[in-house]
């Protein structure tokens, strides 16, 4: 006999869920594009925006975006989500992806990055309108603004009549601000090469909490919580309490991969050493290196020169940063597991699911 | 006997109104800054944001900001506004100024401008944290984002419980998007020097409607309308119908002043010719010049070279652009006056007041 209980209907496979998510991207893009002819925008402008959205919003790993639906499914505890709930959760998921695109387009300019997701960064791509081989260049700044505006077009289109409409807007605004503060911290912790006084774990943790953890971990879960009708402040505090440290670990891993990950896997060429970044790697090297090693790092860190970068990596090896990372990974996993086990106010599975995603991330 | 009727209490002078407006700027800035220590932001970061706000938001002419209060006063038709209504209208006025700052900081980078309001553009100012004389540079991109975020912090602080809270957010989002589309049109109408095919009045009008008119003219009045409790769609349409052409004239004037205004008065050095801008001046020159004059313009327009700029200005003089501007000014004034006279749905004075501000603008 088949189990016909609707609430325990077979859960879709990860592959099917991803397919559902990917499927609605062109629908959402079309919502934005279809308004433009009526606004008297010329075809070349519409084509520009279409290309800009496709290049910058699609093609990521979509973990952040998928997290909204995953979290909502676990928050409603066993009840089957309706097709419309799934669609709406995925709309918010895409809004998180659009938010990330907004930040990445600008971040690549500010970091002078070369590639993103295996292709030239948007600002380095050819200007499709120019006839003299110029790149998009600083027009990408305005393009990043447009990507941000798309978020609010989509939210208005699909959520204007929901009682939590203003809550969604508030959380996107707040998360944007937190991310911008993180970027400011990040950008102002770089300028003086050879000065290691700011490369402490304390400074580091503040930067990554703001520039990554809020938008990548807290935001998608908080959006699902709003859709699930949760409005108790303690529930949002609990979520923050777990998701911000989880986001911190995620960024530590990202910094580790910037140095030791394969460009083919991470889709970009690491430049943290060249750019004098306040990375977890340099902070740990300073904490664990000998005075001689630290002096050598001071001489060679933050220079855009292959031989200097190589020397920095050699010292990282001597200090044993791979082992230090492995130990840190184990510790932070244990810390988060224990925190999650004490949660009563909402289903622990929401956090366990996310934890399992990042701790099996491809190294 | 004194007139003690409260509703006809003496209206403040323009100078007093300006003083009221200016007075609340530090209060609003403090609302933003005072949250930062509790967010674990270091003193140098708070100092950065404080300076960034002061340099970029204050010091403009504040016409857009003051328009919210002026419009609200005329919308309530004779009733005296309460101190709290005045304060709230000025908060929204400052939010318009913050929005403008967001756009100007980024616009100056994209246009490679040198000065703004008589001082170096923000991105060209010294980085206060760096010890090696570098400028703020591309960090200004993220600073522009922070300026935008301030808008939503302030609106949330003062309007979260108003029934029109979501309407205010919607209109800021929509206006931002419109302005960004205008910037995109503007930036993609420049690249090919010597190609005059895009420099038509049609193209021009579309650019300025989007990049200037919505945020400078429609937004402040629409905000006042929301505060006044107006929610009829036809009223907002009527306002748009008058305010967008008014904004168009304002930008035509700005383009005229870019060429013929004194830098001391306009606070910047005009660069429209150097930057191959789709300016009203070049559109009119193409429309009114002889084939020989147009050929010369094609050779010399859009070059960052004083002798080329001088030659372009010489041809502008031969074509008589000063007279063409004067005629256009008279015509557009007559057009707007007649449109305003047919308004019944809301007080005509709202529009007359704005009209009188821009048509006596210092040339
Ligand atoms: Mg980067
Ligand atoms: Mg960065
Ligand atoms: Mg990284
Ligand atoms: Mg400009
Ligand atoms: Mg510009
Ligand atoms: Mg101008």
């Amino acid at each position: 006999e088949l189990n016909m209980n609707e609430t325990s209907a077979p859960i879709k496979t990860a592959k099917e869920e991803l397919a559902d998510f990917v499927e609605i991207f062109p629908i959402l893009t079309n919502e934005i594009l279809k308004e433009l002819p009526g606004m008297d925008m010329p075809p070349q402008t519409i084509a520009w925006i279409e290309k800009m959205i496709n290049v910058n919003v699609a093609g990521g790993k979509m973990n952040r975006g998928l997290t909204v639906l995953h979290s909502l499914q676990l928050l409603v505890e066993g009840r089957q989500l309706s097709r419309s709930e799934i669609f709406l959760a995925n709309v918010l998921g895409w809004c998180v992806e659009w938010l990330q695109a907004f930040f990445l387009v600008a971040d690549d300019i500010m970091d002078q990055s070369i590639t993103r997701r295996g292709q030239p960064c948007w600002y380095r791509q050819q200007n499709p309108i120019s006839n003299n081989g110029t790149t998009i260049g600083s027009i990408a700044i305005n393009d990043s603004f447009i990507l941000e505006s798309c978020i609010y077009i989509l939210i208005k289109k699909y959520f204007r009549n929901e009682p939590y409409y203003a809550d969604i807007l508030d959380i996107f605004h707040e998360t944007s601000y937190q991310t911008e503060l993180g970027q400011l911290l990040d950008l102002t912790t770089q300028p003086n090469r050879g000065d290691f006084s700011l490369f402490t774990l304390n400074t580091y943790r503040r930067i990554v909490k703001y520039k990554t953890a809020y938008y990548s971990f807290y935001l998608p879960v908080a959006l699902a919580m709003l859709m699930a009708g949760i409005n108790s402040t303690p529930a949002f505090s609990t979520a923050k309490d777990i998701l911000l440290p989880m986001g911190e670990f995620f960024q530590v891993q990202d910094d580790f991969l910037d140095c030791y990950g394969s460009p083919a896997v991470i889709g970009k060429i690491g430049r943290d050493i060249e750019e004098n970044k306040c990375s977890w790697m340099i902070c740990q090297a300073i904490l664990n290196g000998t005075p001689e090693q630290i002096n050598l790092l001071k001489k060679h860190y933050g220079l855009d020169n292959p031989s200097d970068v190589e020397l920095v990596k050699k010292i990282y090896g001597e200090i044993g940063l791979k082992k230090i990372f492995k130990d840190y990974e184990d510790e932070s996993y244990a810390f988060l597991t224990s925190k999650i086990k004490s949660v009563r106010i909402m289903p622990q599975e929401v956090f366990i699911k996310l934890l399992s995603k990042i701790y099996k991330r491809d190294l």
Side-chain angles (χ1 to χ4, degrees), chain A residues 51 122 124-136:
Chain A
K51 183 170 183 199
W122 178 244
R124 303 187 112 239
Q125 293 195 16
Q126 174 88 39
N127 180 329
I129 286 171
S130 157
N131 63 7
N132 52 17
T134 53
T135 61
I136 286 163

Side-chain angles (χ1 to χ4, degrees), chain A residues 260 293 311-322:
Chain A
Y260 289 123
Q293 288 171 325
L311 206 123
V312 169
K313 289 197 181 183
K314 188 170 154 274
I315 300 169
Y316 282 0
E318 288 166 18
I319 294 172
L321 284 188
K322 281 187 186 177

